[in-house]
Amino acid sequence: MMRKIEELIKRKPPIFLIVSLAYLAGVGFLKWQIHPPIWALAYLGGGLLGVYFLDIAEVFFSLTPSPFRTITFQALFVLVSFFVITSSGSLLATGLVLSMYLTMLLRMSFEWKKPVVLAGIIIFLLETALFIR
């Protein structure tokens, strides 16, 4: 199992990690300027986990085809992510859902039609703004 997860991490396109880290750093800077609190590390840790979370879940639960790549999951995830961002005090959870959402958007941009991706981007930007405020 661990070998599969290692392969999965190595196989993921580097652009996913680069874009996610840039996003996490940018949003963290906008939220905390140049003085991030120590607990911002939880936000960063959740964000790093979010890049690989769905892929690891697919391997761990042997999900084929993956339910995480459906429009139904995406719609339900929007509701959950809104709840986590607006109601949770956990920076780990917030970093996780924002990074997962960004990862899903990157996947969607290659697989789905533009209006769906555009709607996802708008919702993602709204959630990001809610977190920064």
Side-chain angles (χ1 to χ4, degrees), residues 10 22 25 28 32 93 96 104 117:
K10 289 178 184 175
W32 298 296
L96 177 73
M104 290 187 300
V117 175

Side-chain angles (χ1 to χ4, degrees), residues 6 11 32 54 75 77 80 83 108 126:
E6 285 178 34
R11 194 175 56 217
W32 298 296
L54 295 177
F77 184 79
V80 170
F83 175 76
M108 282 172 41
L126 176 62

Side-chain angles (χ1 to χ4, degrees), residues 73-86 97 127:
F73 178 80
Q74 302 284 330
L76 293 173
F77 184 79
V78 166
L79 297 174
V80 170
S81 62
F82 260 122
F83 175 76
V84 168
I85 291 166
T86 59
V97 297
E127 288 187 6

Side-chain angles (χ1 to χ4, degrees), residues 8-77:
L8 183 136
I9 290 171
K10 289 178 184 175
R11 194 175 56 217
K12 188 144 195 132
I15 192 72
F16 282 71
L17 185 59
I18 293 166
V19 168
S20 294
L21 287 175
Y23 168 79
L24 292 167
V27 168
F29 180 78
L30 290 173
K31 183 161 181 74
W32 298 296
Q33 284 79 41
I34 59 172
H35 303 292
I38 190 70
W39 58 85
L41 291 174
Y43 164 74
L44 183 61
L48 289 174
L49 179 61
V51 174
Y52 299 102
F53 188 82
L54 295 177
D55 298 316
I56 291 170
E58 288 171 354
V59 169
F60 185 78
F61 294 110
S62 301
L63 300 172
T64 49
S66 174
F68 303 130
R69 297 176 189 263
T70 64
I71 193 73
T72 304
F73 178 80
Q74 302 284 330
L76 293 173
F77 184 79

